[in-house]
């Protein structure tokens, strides 16, 4: 009994470790090679950046000889503002859908989550037209609006499921305690679903941070480039500055990593919520 | 402290009438208990008093003030829910003080009231704990404490003990009784446990399908139930109902006269409480024992009568029967209840 238990747990761990290695390998390769000269990258792709292999020229050209800090700032602004909007609007919509009964509520709910099934990129042409008509081409606002629209359906879907499980009696007792509906939302409901917020935040953030499509189409201007678009400048038609590309990618991983570490505890709780009682 | 008056209350959800033309006056400081079977509208009624449901029709007043247009916080009520409904992210102190903080009451006053409530309820040791670190009984005490600190005119309880295990339920029932004796507030308490109703209430309101069947003190309801519904609901084990006949002003069961009644000849229902039956050699209730349950101090005998009716009797522990034994029981005439064919009590 004990032995089979040990064996099965060892088996599970072996699989998990193998998968982690597989997933981490490309990442490690990027980081390692970002510290190497171009020659060294091709001569010995898996070698460590030691001795005369080592070169920080990639980082030098990214951080000092390009607009990379600007791009980085753009990405950060777009991602953070979109994320705040997605979380705030998504949670509020979900609260309204799960707490109040009003005519057409289920139709509105369906309409709001319909976007899950329709990829937003299908509407690119119409979006571009709309953005140009609004005079928002080449602005970060354009990206923020599109990403918010892109993230809302799945956010509303996940939030609605979880908010339905918040006990009605807690909200009622807050009403008796004299809280307004807004305060009930912010002070009672939101703290209860914190793990879910972390989950939705991470899931929504990554596609936004990594997106190349909309920056390329809606705001390719020098001033409004995001990291993913900015990196392309090191990939020329004839020569590719691999050191710089890898360095830029390594730096671009950082915010996602930081965010993940901040949210991970909450995230795991969010994913396992409902699996265990309490 | 205040009176509570309900006048002509109606409530419907869509086409379903849940409360129908209900009127009730609750005196100052009275402990009123609503009982009734599941789905009869007890919670709905309580939530209307609290302001969590709108009225379809009618008026609610607390003290001299009409409140049915006011939001819950301004009605002078506090409510304790079945699921405790504590804020899980706040500790006990935070839970107790939350409403006061929102009402903009000074910190000193909040502390005073919170400490006072925690002393009454024996929570002082656990003020810094989160609800998940408390037992069920402690959680319920916090929920009650949260009601106390608001110093309401009227306390509302919705089945506050039904999530607790049997032993704790008895304990908390006594705590609530003590609390009422100490605070002397008007309390409205919903339960479907008739023992809670009997022990706690100054007056009991028996509800069925959104209507009041009877209002009265526990003893009135026990001694003079207006109909078979109330008679069956109050008392445990429930009253036995037997088909009997009136003939010449005498209620007869299988030819034996049980009690007298001035009524037309015809069929009636005879109501007999299990605790009023005694073993007697020539008793009118004769039958064979089908089940015998011995609880030590007392025992329950289930009797199959000759005409295929059945009967439960609560006897002293000194009697021992075996299934199949013959047994005859008797009852004093003054303990008999007689109901007409519509179920109304026609006992004299
Ligand atoms: N929001 C609602 N919409 C429609 N019907 C409702 C709603 N709330 C309650 N009801 C109905 O009203 C009736 C009374 O419900 P209520 O909760 O008051 O019963 P109760 O007496 O408290 O029962 P229990 O003892 O099971 O708690 C039930 O038939 C229920 O289905
Ligand atoms: Mg109820």
């Amino acid at each position: 009994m004990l032995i089979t238990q040990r064996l099965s747990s060892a088996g599970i761990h072996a699989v998990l470790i193998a998968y982690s290695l597989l997933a981490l390998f490309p990442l490690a390769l990027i980081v390692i090679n970002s510290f190497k000269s171009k020659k060294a990258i091709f001569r010995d792709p898996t070698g460590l950046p030691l001795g005369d292999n080592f070169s920080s020229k990639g980082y030098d050209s990214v951080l000092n000889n390009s607009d990379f800090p600007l791009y980085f700032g753009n990405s950060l602004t777009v991602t953070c503002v979109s994320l705040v909007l997605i979380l705030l609007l998504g949670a509020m919509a979900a609260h309204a859908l799960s707490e109040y009964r009003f005519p057409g509520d289920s139709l509105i709910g369906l309409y709001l989550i319909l976007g899950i099934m329709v990829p937003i990129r299908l509407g690119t042409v119409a979006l571009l037209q709309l953005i140009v008509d609004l005079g928002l081409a080449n602005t970060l606002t354009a990206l923020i609006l599109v990403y918010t629209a892109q993230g809302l359906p799945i956010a509303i879907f996940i939030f609605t499921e979880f908010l339905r499980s918040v006990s009605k009696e807690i909200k009622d007792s807050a009403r008796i305690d004299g809280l307004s509906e807004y305060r009930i939302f912010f002070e009672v409901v939101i703290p209860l679903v914190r793990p879910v917020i972390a989950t939705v935040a991470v899931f929504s953030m990554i596609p936004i941070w990594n997106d190349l499509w909309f920056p390329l189409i809606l705001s390719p201007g020098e001033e409004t480039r995001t990291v993913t678009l900015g990196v392309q400048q090191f990939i020329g038609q004839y020569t590719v500055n691999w050191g710089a590309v890898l360095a830029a990618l390594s730096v671009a991983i950082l915010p996602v990593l930081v965010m993940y570490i901040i949210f991970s505890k909450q995230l795991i709780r969010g994913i396992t919520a409902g699996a265990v009682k309490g | 402290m205040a009176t509570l008056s309900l006048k002509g209350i109606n409530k419907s959800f869509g086409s379903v009438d849940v409360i129908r033309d209900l009127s009730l006056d609750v005196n100052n400081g009275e402990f009123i208990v609503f009982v009734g079977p599941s789905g009869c509208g007890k919670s709905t009624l309580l939530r209307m008093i609290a302001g969590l449901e709108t009225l379809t029709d009618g008026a609610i007043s607390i003290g001299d003030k009409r409140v049915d247009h006011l939001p819950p916080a301004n009605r002078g009520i506090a409510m304790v829910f079945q699921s405790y409904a504590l804020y899980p992210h706040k500790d006990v102190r935070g839970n107790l003080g939350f409403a006061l903080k929102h009402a903009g009451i000074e910190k000193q006053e909040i502390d005073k009231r919170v400490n006072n409530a925690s002393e009454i309820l024996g929570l002082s040791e656990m003020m810094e704990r989160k609800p998940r670190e408390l037992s069920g009984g402690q959680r319920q005490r916090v929920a009650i404490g949260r009601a106390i600190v608001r110093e309401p005119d009227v306390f509302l309880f919705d089945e506050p003990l039904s999530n607790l295990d049997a032993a704790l339920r008895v304990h908390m029932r006594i705590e609530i009784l003590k609390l009422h004796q100490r605070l002397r507030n008007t309390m409205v308490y919903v339960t479907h446990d008739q023992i809670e109703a009997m022990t706690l209430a100054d007056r009991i309101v028996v509800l069925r399908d959104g209507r009041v069947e009877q209002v009265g003190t526990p003893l009135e309801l026990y001694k003079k139930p207006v109909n078979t519904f109330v008679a069956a609901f109050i008392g445990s084990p429930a009253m036995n109902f037997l088909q009997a006949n009136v003939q010449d002003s005498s209620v007869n069961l299988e030819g034996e006269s049980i009690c007298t009644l001035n009524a037309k000849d015809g069929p009636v229902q005879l109501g007999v409480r299990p605790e009023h039956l005694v073993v007697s050699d020539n008793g009118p209730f004769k039958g064979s024992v089908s089940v015998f349950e011995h609880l030590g101090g007392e025992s329950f005998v289930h009797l199959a009568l000759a005409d295929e009716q059945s009967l439960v009797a609560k006897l002293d522990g000194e009697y021992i029967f075996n299934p199949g034994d013959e047994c005859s029981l008797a009852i004093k005439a003054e303990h008999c209840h007689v109901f007409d064919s519509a179920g109304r009590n026609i006992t004299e």
Side-chain angles (χ1 to χ4, degrees):
Chain A
M1 186 61 199
L2 200 65
I3 292 175
T4 46
Q5 238 171 30
R6 284 246 175 91
L7 271 181
S8 79
S9 124
I12 289 169
H13 277 91
V15 171
L16 289 178
I17 288 168
Y19 181 77
S20 310
L21 290 179
L22 206 65
L24 285 175
F25 181 69
L27 276 182
L29 213 57
I30 290 174
V31 175
I32 289 169
N33 283 318
S34 69
F35 285 105
K36 293 200 288 204
S37 64
K38 192 172 168 186
K39 265 203 202 121
I41 292 174
F42 285 101
R43 194 179 345 115
D44 183 12
T46 53
L48 291 177
L50 300 169
D52 53 352
N53 268 356
F54 181 83
S55 150
S56 60
K57 252 174 70 192
Y59 285 93
D60 189 45
S61 54
V62 165
L63 297 176
N64 300 328
N65 298 327
S66 76
D67 286 330
F68 190 81
L70 172 72
Y71 306 155
F72 198 83
N74 286 342
S75 272
L76 221 52
T77 312
V78 169
T79 308
C80 290
V81 177
S82 309
L83 209 53
V84 169
L85 287 177
I86 290 173
L87 294 177
L88 185 70
L89 299 177
M92 287 178 112
H95 178 65
L97 288 174
S98 60
E99 175 69 8
Y100 308 117
R101 296 276 74 90
F102 50 92
D105 49 1
S106 52
L107 271 181
I108 291 176
L110 200 65
Y111 167 73
L112 286 176
I113 60 176
L114 209 60
I116 296 176
M117 284 167 275
V118 186
I120 195 168
R121 285 168 200 202
L122 285 184
T124 303
V125 175
L127 276 176
L128 180 60
Q129 234 158 26
L130 185 67
I131 295 290
V132 171
D133 288 349
L134 288 171
L136 292 174
N138 273 327
T139 59
L140 296 183
T141 315
L143 290 179
I144 289 169
L145 290 177
V146 170
Y147 288 142
T148 306
Q150 170 189 315
L152 272 177
I154 189 82
I156 291 174
F157 179 70
I158 298 177
F159 275 132
T160 310
E161 287 308 301
F162 276 88
L163 290 184
R164 285 225 174 98
S165 68
V166 173
S167 134
K168 196 163 173 49
E169 295 193 339
I170 289 190
K171 290 179 265 191
D172 280 340
S173 88
R175 274 182 199 120
I176 289 177
D177 280 350
L179 274 71
S180 68
E181 295 298 314
Y182 278 98
R183 296 194 114 157
I184 290 177
F185 175 71
F186 284 111
E187 292 183 35
V188 177
V189 175
I190 290 293
L192 284 179
V193 294
R194 253 200 337 238
V196 188
I197 293 179
T199 313
V200 175
V202 172
F203 285 151
S204 316
M205 179 185 80
I206 293 168
I208 298 176
W209 183 264
N210 287 342
D211 191 39
L212 177 60
W213 182 258
F214 285 113
L216 190 62
I217 290 168
L218 299 179
S219 32
E222 183 63 30
E223 288 299 303
T224 53
R225 278 185 198 171
T226 58
V227 169
T228 38
L229 188 55
V231 171
Q232 308 298 318
Q233 79 175 60
F234 302 113
I235 305 178
Q237 198 172 354
Y238 305 107
T239 61
V240 177
N241 185 352
W242 282 112
V245 171
L246 296 178
L249 289 179
S250 302
V251 177
I253 294 169
L254 281 179
V256 183
L257 211 60
V258 170
M259 186 99 167
Y260 196 86
I261 290 168
I262 293 174
F263 284 137
S264 64
K265 210 172 129 199
Q266 305 270 2
L267 181 70
I268 289 162
R269 240 196 279 160
I271 290 171
T272 54
V276 258
K277 194 171 165 273
Chain B
M1 293 255 208
T3 59
L4 166 70
S5 114
L6 311 176
K7 279 204 186 69
I9 307 264
N10 278 288
K11 174 74 186 175
S12 29
F13 290 109
S15 60
V16 187
D17 295 331
V18 177
I19 302 287
R20 302 165 216 224
D21 194 27
L22 187 148
S23 296
L24 179 72
D25 281 303
V26 180
N27 301 328
N28 187 8
E30 196 171 23
F31 200 127
I32 280 277
V33 176
F34 292 157
V35 289
S38 193
C40 68
K42 307 179 296 286
S43 299
T44 307
L45 186 56
L46 205 66
R47 290 168 58 81
M48 286 196 286
I49 299 172
L52 298 169
E53 292 296 346
T54 55
L55 308 191
T56 307
D57 194 17
I60 299 177
S61 313
I62 293 176
D64 318 323
K65 203 168 63 174
R66 187 155 167 192
V67 297
D68 49 74
H69 56 281
L70 295 178
N74 301 348
R75 292 188 177 198
I77 51 103
M79 185 154 169
V80 177
F81 293 89
Q82 177 174 2
S83 67
Y84 323 133
L86 302 178
Y87 306 117
H89 54 291
K90 293 188 187 302
D91 62 11
V92 172
R93 185 178 294 282
N95 264 290
L96 291 178
F98 193 57
L100 303 182
K101 224 165 76 190
H102 263 281
I105 290 171
E106 306 166 21
K107 178 117 187 25
Q108 250 179 333
E109 174 69 12
I110 296 180
D111 283 344
K112 202 183 96 199
R113 290 204 213 169
V114 167
N115 290 338
N116 183 30
S118 63
E119 229 160 82
I120 293 178
L121 296 165
L123 291 168
S124 313
E125 308 288 302
M126 48 197 87
M127 295 304 273
E128 265 62 55
R129 286 202 225 159
K130 292 273 170 64
R132 64 169 177 279
E133 296 158 347
L134 300 174
S135 71
Q138 291 164 342
R139 280 180 211 182
Q140 194 51 277
R141 262 183 262 162
V142 178
I144 294 172
R146 207 167 52 169
I148 294 178
V149 294
R150 302 190 56 217
E151 299 183 350
D153 296 323
V154 179
F155 278 96
L156 307 175
F157 295 89
D158 192 357
E159 305 198 24
L161 307 185
S162 56
N163 278 357
L164 304 178
D165 63 49
L168 205 51
R169 198 146 59 202
V170 173
H171 178 73
M172 285 304 292
R173 198 172 74 206
I174 294 164
E175 301 252 308
I176 289 179
L177 201 57
K178 278 192 201 148
L179 189 72
H180 180 242
Q181 282 160 2
R182 177 167 180 161
L183 300 177
R184 288 269 145 227
N185 277 51
T186 309
M187 294 190 174
V188 181
Y189 187 105
V190 163
T191 179
H192 54 232
D193 181 319
Q194 56 98 14
I195 297 185
E196 270 173 38
M198 294 297 280
T199 50
L200 289 173
D202 291 326
R203 278 194 301 160
I204 296 178
V205 179
V206 182
L207 293 174
R208 171 162 64 162
D209 288 341
R211 285 204 185 86
V212 175
E213 292 286 312
Q214 189 172 3
V215 183
T217 64
L219 270 188
E220 276 167 16
L221 263 55
Y222 180 79
K223 288 199 166 145
K224 294 196 175 72
V226 294
N227 55 27
T228 47
F229 179 81
V230 176
F233 206 85
I234 302 293
S236 164
M239 185 186 274
N240 299 291
F241 295 102
L242 301 168
Q243 298 302 332
N245 272 303
V246 180
Q247 211 166 24
D248 303 333
S249 296
S250 157
V251 179
N252 299 332
L253 187 80
E254 291 173 49
E256 299 223 32
S257 172
I258 311 284
C259 58
T260 59
L261 181 77
N262 248 332
K264 273 199 309 221
D265 291 1
V268 290
Q269 289 191 73
L270 176 65
V272 179
R273 292 204 183 275
E275 57 271 34
H276 291 150
L277 288 162
V278 290
V279 174
S280 150
D281 288 342
N282 296 319
F285 306 102
K286 292 191 183 65
S288 66
V289 175
S290 57
V291 176
F292 181 71
E293 302 168 295
H294 207 292
L295 305 182
E298 61 198 26
S299 59
F300 296 111
V301 154
H302 298 245
L303 217 57
L305 300 182
D307 55 353
E308 299 198 334
Q309 304 199 65
S310 63
L311 184 73
V312 181
K314 181 173 164 185
L315 304 176
D316 269 347
E318 64 200 68
Y319 293 101
I320 305 276
F321 287 100
N322 289 312
D325 287 358
E326 290 299 314
C327 169
S328 54
L329 302 168
I331 189 167
K332 284 188 189 154
E334 74 244 36
H335 285 146
C336 289
H337 300 266
V338 186
F339 302 92
D340 66 11
S341 51
R344 278 188 302 267
N345 194 337
I346 50 172
T347 317
E348 279 154 10

